[in-house]
Amino acid sequence: MTTVRSTLPDDARKVACEALQDTLVELLGLSLVGKQAHWNVVGPRFRSIHLQLDEVVTATRDFADTVAERSAALGVPPDGRPETIAKAFTLPAPAEGWVRDSDAVQVMVEALQEAVGRLRERIDATEKADPVTQDLLIAITAELEKQRWMFDAENFPR
Amino acid sequence: MTTVRSTLPDDARKVACEALQDTLVELLGLSLVGKQAHWNVVGPRFRSIHLQLDEVVTATRDFADTVAERSAALGVPPDGRPETIAKAFTLPAPAEGWVRDSDAVQVMVEALQEAVGRLRERIDATEKADPVTQDLLIAITAELEKQRWMFDAENFPR
Amino acid sequence: MTTVRSTLPDDARKVACEALQDTLVELLGLSLVGKQAHWNVVGPRFRSIHLQLDEVVTATRDFADTVAERSAALGVPPDGRPETIAKAFTLPAPAEGWVRDSDAVQVMVEALQEAVGRLRERIDATEKADPVTQDLLIAITAELEKQRWMFDAENFPR
Amino acid sequence: MTTVRSTLPDDARKVACEALQDTLVELLGLSLVGKQAHWNVVGPRFRSIHLQLDEVVTATRDFADTVAERSAALGVPPDGRPETIAKAFTLPAPAEGWVRDSDAVQVMVEALQEAVGRLRERIDATEKADPVTQDLLIAITAELEKQRWMFDAENFPR
Amino acid sequence: MTTVRSTLPDDARKVACEALQDTLVELLGLSLVGKQAHWNVVGPRFRSIHLQLDEVVTATRDFADTVAERSAALGVPPDGRPETIAKAFTLPAPAEGWVRDSDAVQVMVEALQEAVGRLRERIDATEKADPVTQDLLIAITAELEKQRWMFDAENFPR
Amino acid sequence: MTTVRSTLPDDARKVACEALQDTLVELLGLSLVGKQAHWNVVGPRFRSIHLQLDEVVTATRDFADTVAERSAALGVPPDGRPETIAKAFTLPAPAEGWVRDSDAVQVMVEALQEAVGRLRERIDATEKADPVTQDLLIAITAELEKQRWMFDAENFPR
Amino acid sequence: MTTVRSTLPDDARKVACEALQDTLVELLGLSLVGKQAHWNVVGPRFRSIHLQLDEVVTATRDFADTVAERSAALGVPPDGRPETIAKAFTLPAPAEGWVRDSDAVQVMVEALQEAVGRLRERIDATEKADPVTQDLLIAITAELEKQRWMFDAENFPR
Amino acid sequence: MTTVRSTLPDDARKVACEALQDTLVELLGLSLVGKQAHWNVVGPRFRSIHLQLDEVVTATRDFADTVAERSAALGVPPDGRPETIAKAFTLPAPAEGWVRDSDAVQVMVEALQEAVGRLRERIDATEKADPVTQDLLIAITAELEKQRWMFDAENFPR
Amino acid sequence: MTTVRSTLPDDARKVACEALQDTLVELLGLSLVGKQAHWNVVGPRFRSIHLQLDEVVTATRDFADTVAERSAALGVPPDGRPETIAKAFTLPAPAEGWVRDSDAVQVMVEALQEAVGRLRERIDATEKADPVTQDLLIAITAELEKQRWMFDAENFPR
Amino acid sequence: MTTVRSTLPDDARKVACEALQDTLVELLGLSLVGKQAHWNVVGPRFRSIHLQLDEVVTATRDFADTVAERSAALGVPPDGRPETIAKAFTLPAPAEGWVRDSDAVQVMVEALQEAVGRLRERIDATEKADPVTQDLLIAITAELEKQRWMFDAENFPR
Amino acid sequence: MTTVRSTLPDDARKVACEALQDTLVELLGLSLVGKQAHWNVVGPRFRSIHLQLDEVVTATRDFADTVAERSAALGVPPDGRPETIAKAFTLPAPAEGWVRDSDAVQVMVEALQEAVGRLRERIDATEKADPVTQDLLIAITAELEKQRWMFDAENFPR
Amino acid sequence: MTTVRSTLPDDARKVACEALQDTLVELLGLSLVGKQAHWNVVGPRFRSIHLQLDEVVTATRDFADTVAERSAALGVPPDGRPETIAKAFTLPAPAEGWVRDSDAVQVMVEALQEAVGRLRERIDATEKADPVTQDLLIAITAELEKQRWMFDAENFPR
């Protein structure tokens, strides 16, 4: 018995939903490691970085919700369980314990740089399969590139 | 005497504005039949479905306004008069009188499924003619697919 | 099997719900032709009339909802489907295409004048049958008379 | 020594204030039994009914305040003490303990149906005595009839 | 040349608009003398009475606007010019200069008592002529009777 | 068949839920007699006392809701029906009819003083049984002691 | 027995409070004739002028309140009674009955031009007597000059 | 070099921060599996459960933030990284893929029941070590017990 | 090494910043003794005076912030430390312990009267030195004179 | 030393950032000349055009910010200095001094028409280079085309 | 003559109110020295520290109000007069004049660390005497420990 | 033909409007270079400076609007066109390209210091000519001096 039907043919749905599932893991992962850094950051720039990281958390949580619901809307159940994130999340992240402010900035620049690179590949991959999904990935990229720039500007001079 | 001039060449304008006019009729039609079901639904899920249908009405009314103003902006007067909707609206819709909650859910799944299919064709058709119009149709599709999923999930097991 | 029971005896319910159904069609029709004029108006008073028409749309949509739910509350399913409006809506309305601002004002004065006349007959008709319905029709009349006056004042000198 | 003087002659005040006192008891009683059901409802429709009952509580509390202050304004002290409600409140109400969701719906339909019937008699009774009080009773009836319909629609098929 | 046309026949319009014009003068007058007392009150209850008087001012200003626009909507230009108020306003009012708090309360009780009496006559007078105008006068009476009670309760023991 | 299961062992649940049920009756009773005094108070301090009493009503209504839902959460259905309140509510309360402002203040001081005394006993009684319930009773006591002080300060010199 | 004492010596207080009383009459007068024009304006610019006049009413009402309370704060009771305004208000104002939109604009330009001229004299007069009062008159002038300009710009070409 | 100093002696800090770390993992885990169920739920109660689950997500996210910051405030860096949650989170949770509405309700009842049991042990454990931490755990327990009850009430009859 | 440079020459800065420092002490002092009276007032006007005093506190706190930041902006560090206020604050203030409502009113009249007198001297003193500082002192005087009047009006008959 | 790194290869970045820089100049220029017309417009449509121009200013300011930050995010510093705008801004604009309302409308139609034409070229140019930048340009075009239509509709008959 | 009666026996009241009075002095003192540092801080972290200090001021002002009103509620008049604070406030505080940002951070860490230590003693002292007061002290400690951590994290490496 | 008439004699208008035009150019210029720095700032204080600069932009944009409309109100058309700003704006400003955070702070201190110096001259110049314009220039100076101080405090040690 089918559960939620799709509005896409099978091939297109497969391409779109794989892009969405991979993006979901990265957004949820970023929201968790963003909070981790938000709590553990120390150093003279504590307050600025503490607040900036919460903006990353808010943005990634909101996009994760949209991404997961889009996958469901296309008929494929999204997977955001803790074990799935732990296994599939491979972006740079802060280590355990207190994090120096400059290190927090550096790791966010790297994580967001890498995330944007992967998103751009998925933007290409979904162009034919589903322009609606592609449009969502473009919006996420715009936001993560903006966040990346702000950490990078903060990171000067390296 | 010209009235409102267009920023598009004639061919492109024709393609874009036909897509917009057809979408306008469907959005206005959905807003009317959504309200019809909102008022007439009965059954143990009355309150949930009653509220959910109003979200469809709000979304379709807002998009109808944007679609019609976009057509005007391209120099073609939109047509949302009662007789036009009655003639051109061909999506599935509830019959007269009280509607059982499960029937309301079923008819919304079908109407939105069909609407999304037609929108996807228009997304293709407008890609070259007017990417600005295409972007609006993509946004409408994203919303209607989300609404469709929520009714479909509610419709389980069929 | 009865669906929604009434709190009124059969005769009173018939009088009240006919008045409500006729009013519903007029309010939905006015909301549609109000939007039609809102989109298609042209001329030096474009902005004023464009905004004023949206106030008519908001008022008629809100009252339509109240009127339809009152009919349901009295045990009679309201009918606001596109084909019903197209068939039963007989108030003056703008023609297809762009509408000169002075014409839009003129047609709204006439449509609202006619609507108020019909509402006043229904206020009389429902006085004995259902003072609760009558009170709602009085409130609608007050609002439509106010809108009518503002278009009429705008329409001077004719 | 008079306390608060009336703007009505004695006969009219007596009619109006008896109608208001009886209505006050019913509104306060409904707000209490609505909360009782709100807390004790169980069953698969728990959340919907739990929320819907709170709308009844809010509406009846607000109207009770208006009704009591109107009685005071007419020079007769309103009585909403616990013992008065306990003695005078005779509408159907849920029994002690957990309440099955379908039973909560059923008892609200019956209580509101009965309350509306009594209000309609008071609308007739106050027409000559005090049209201002009558107008308030009409507004209460409109709201309670709307609430009654929504529970009745939820109650289908009985 | 007619200016703003009426939706009422001449006789009914005359009755309704005279009631509205007389009410307009009283509401504007009350808003002015309410402010006068608000500024000039002295005594141990200064703050309470100062604030309470501003509620009268807000209520009478809002109703004055509605009353005047209703007259315009019925085709009769309302008259709220200073000289008209000065000539036609005959309710009790505070004298020039500082006003003792108990005197301010007393004069508001008297002014509102008298205003309510006149409004009740106009409610009778407009019943046949225009139920829409009557409904507005009923709403104003309800508010002024509430304000009157609160000053009267404050005025105890006299 | 169990309905709502408890997270507490039987003994602890019995202690906690008796404390909650007794508190519920007192909060609902206070909200009713607070409104009774709010409507019937007369005297030169009318406005101050009228407003202050409404703060008691708001606080006791909100806490009553929390207390009742906590009892349900612990698996015991709360009882807030009119007849239960009438029987079990034993705090001082205003008599029928108009209430002099100084009497309203005096009765609120006494009712809140007594309520606080009982709550302090329940804070002791629930310390071992359920610290979560105890924490809620502490919060209620803090609020009622604050309200009691404000009426007592108003009551000076006695 | 003194009522409200002044923080100014007698001479200064006399100068300041005469300036304030004269300004009070003009602000209250402008708020009344602004409303008069707001209700009675007719013509193709009805909506624009109708809304613009209400901004004058809001500004003059707010400043009138500040001016009157400042006079009271300086120990002189302000006088804003209907008869005082009728006698002392001498700015240009619309005649009775409907007002053509261009006439409403013209009369507002003249009334505000004249009001500003008088305020500038009072700014000079109060400079030594009370810089606090002068500062308030400066703020009023700034606002009325802004309103005057907007009507004057609307009035082009004369 | 110490990073963030503690306001607690070492023993107390150890007890408090272990309780906080364990609670953090459960709150983050619940927020993730709550979202998982929010996205994947299907069945006739879809909308109710979908919305209710989001309330759990909001509550657990907010408390997770407070818990983690309290640990940092006591000088121990909190750990909320994906791998930590995946390893340490042991509450019942929905399986991969679509989840029937009744199953979602059932698994939330079980997860919250278990979470509350563990929290109650930590409330005991922290009583001596740190009453401030204990107070936070009490607040979390109150909220989770409320959420548990609402799912349990929805789960009737099992 | 200079810290914050000034935009004023030395003489002018000295005059302006002495006026600001003296005003700062009085505003902070008034905010503290205003709260002291807010907490300790007793008597039949408790609620009115309790609320009115909080308006003084809010106003003096906000102006103190503006005054201190203006001093910093002019290059002179403001001093609002507890010992500075205790030493330099010489306005009338309530004694320790409960304060009768009439005494609280009386002491506020005196304190504000004295404060206004000093401010008027500083308005003169700063006219040449710094019109920007003078403008701020004028605004503070306007507010404190308004507060003084309201307590004085409340204080009648003395 | 690199400052802000790019997420795009050099060629793509060059294309995207030139499109963004050219768009930035046009948006900033439009916001300045929109304000210029907003302040200097005269004529019977003053108020409508004055308000409409401010909507253009708000939209172009907001988009300018997004466009500049996007350029920074791609690693190229945006240039919005006065001299840059003065040199590079070449859209039609109002001349110095007062502007007749019809001329303001005409110049806005021309400026927006030209701006849209250039944006459409950049939409084509960035399609391959950077779909994220293209998506932003599409959104800007949609808004400017809407603004253009509203001025064009206002401009009828030319 | 007693003024405000207590709900606590004499011994318990003495313990609770001494704890409250000592806490009041520290909260008021912290709010004053927090503002002092807010105004006088200089250095590259000016903006961050300036804003963070205002959060301390807001928190301590709000808690001071609650603490003082709780003392009054227990029948003991709180003392927050300038001379009392100056005498009794002994926490570390910034010296007169400009304060380097790192020094402001350091002094806040020390002041809050010391304040928390004293609060923890009072939490123990009031456990038996008054759990309601204890609960308030726990809430204050939680907030001050959070503020202390944020300054301490900012203070790294020391 | 005159366009907008003035309320000032020719000489005074000339003085006032030259001061306003010069101020307008500086405020618009500051809003543009403030945004330029907002976008291009880099360095460890990026976020603080980025946000602080936007406050300068908001303040200068709002004051520019008030200044320009005041000039129009005095009958002289303001000139804020790009070429006018480019020619007349002579305050220090950041160079093209990325700007180090410390350089951004330094340039804002200098630009605001210079702007304040010029405004103080205009405050003197307009005192006789137009105290209303002078009052506006005083308000602008107060704000710019505050902004200058905050950048200067941030700039320590230089």
Side-chain angles (χ1 to χ4, degrees), chain G residues 69-92:
Chain G
E69 297 199 343
R70 173 127 201 92
S71 180
L74 293 177
V76 175
D79 186 354
R81 295 168 304 150
E83 57 268 35
T84 306
I85 308 172
K87 229 179 307 169
F89 181 69
T90 59
L91 298 176

Side-chain angles (χ1 to χ4, degrees), chain B residues 56-72:
Chain B
V56 174
V57 172
T58 299
T60 49
R61 279 181 177 173
D62 288 354
F63 275 127
D65 205 51
T66 309
V67 160
E69 297 198 344
R70 172 125 202 95
S71 181

Side-chain angles (χ1 to χ4, degrees), chain C residues 92-157:
Chain C
E96 198 183 354
W98 305 115
V99 185
R100 182 68 207 249
D101 49 13
S102 47
D103 296 341
V105 169
Q106 179 65 31
V107 81
M108 289 313 294
V109 170
E110 286 166 18
L112 291 164
Q113 177 92 13
E114 175 65 22
V116 164
R118 297 183 191 176
L119 275 161
R120 288 193 168 275
E121 286 172 19
R122 291 174 206 140
I123 289 172
D124 287 351
T126 54
E127 184 176 12
K128 292 291 162 227
D130 183 15
V132 184
T133 291
Q134 187 201 33
D135 197 57
L136 172 55
L137 298 174
I138 285 171
I140 298 169
T141 305
E143 177 65 23
L144 296 196
E145 280 184 326
K146 184 181 163 190
Q147 295 292 339
R148 195 206 69 82
W149 151 57
M150 290 200 288
F151 283 107
D152 205 14
E154 183 105 20
N155 204 21
F156 176 88

Side-chain angles (χ1 to χ4, degrees), chain G residues 106 109 112-113 116 120 123-124 127 134-135 137-139 141-142 145-146 148-150 152-153 155-158, chain L residues 1-9 65 68-70 72-75 127-136:
Chain G
Q106 180 64 31
V109 171
L112 291 163
Q113 177 89 14
V116 164
R120 287 191 168 277
I123 289 172
D124 286 351
E127 184 176 11
Q134 187 200 35
D135 198 57
L137 299 174
I138 285 172
T141 306
E145 280 184 325
K146 185 181 162 190
R148 196 208 68 84
W149 151 58
M150 291 199 289
D152 206 12
N155 204 21
F156 176 88
R158 280 172 297 272
Chain L
M1 181 181 64
T2 330
T3 312
V4 175
R5 281 161 305 178
S6 187
T7 52
L8 284 183
D65 205 51
E69 297 198 343
R70 172 124 203 95
L74 294 177
E127 185 176 11
K128 292 292 162 225
D130 184 15
V132 184
T133 292
Q134 187 200 33
D135 197 58
L136 173 55

Side-chain angles (χ1 to χ4, degrees), chain B residues 77-123:
Chain B
D79 186 355
R81 295 169 303 150
E83 57 270 33
T84 306
I85 308 172
K87 227 179 309 169
F89 180 69
T90 59
L91 297 175
E96 197 183 356
W98 305 114
V99 185
R100 183 67 207 249
D101 50 12
S102 47
D103 295 341
V105 170
Q106 180 64 31
V107 82
M108 290 312 294
V109 171
E110 286 166 18
L112 291 164
Q113 177 91 15
E114 176 65 21
V116 165
R118 296 184 191 175
L119 276 161
R120 287 192 169 276
E121 286 172 21
R122 290 172 207 141
I123 290 171

Side-chain angles (χ1 to χ4, degrees), chain H residues 121-143:
Chain H
E121 287 171 19
R122 290 173 207 140
I123 289 172
D124 286 351
T126 54
E127 185 176 11
K128 292 291 161 224
D130 183 14
V132 184
T133 293
Q134 187 200 34
D135 198 57
L136 173 55
L137 298 174
I138 285 171
I140 298 169
T141 306
E143 177 65 23

Side-chain angles (χ1 to χ4, degrees), chain A residues 149, chain J residues 20-21 23-24 27-28 62-74 76-80 136, chain L residues 35-36 38-40 98:
Chain A
W149 151 59
Chain J
L20 290 165
Q21 175 62 32
T23 304
L24 176 63
L27 291 168
L28 290 172
D62 289 355
F63 274 127
D65 205 52
T66 309
V67 160
E69 297 199 343
R70 173 125 202 93
S71 181
L74 293 177
V76 175
D79 186 354
L136 172 55
Chain L
K35 268 292 182 199
Q36 174 76 5
H38 168 81
W39 298 321
N40 285 293
W98 304 115

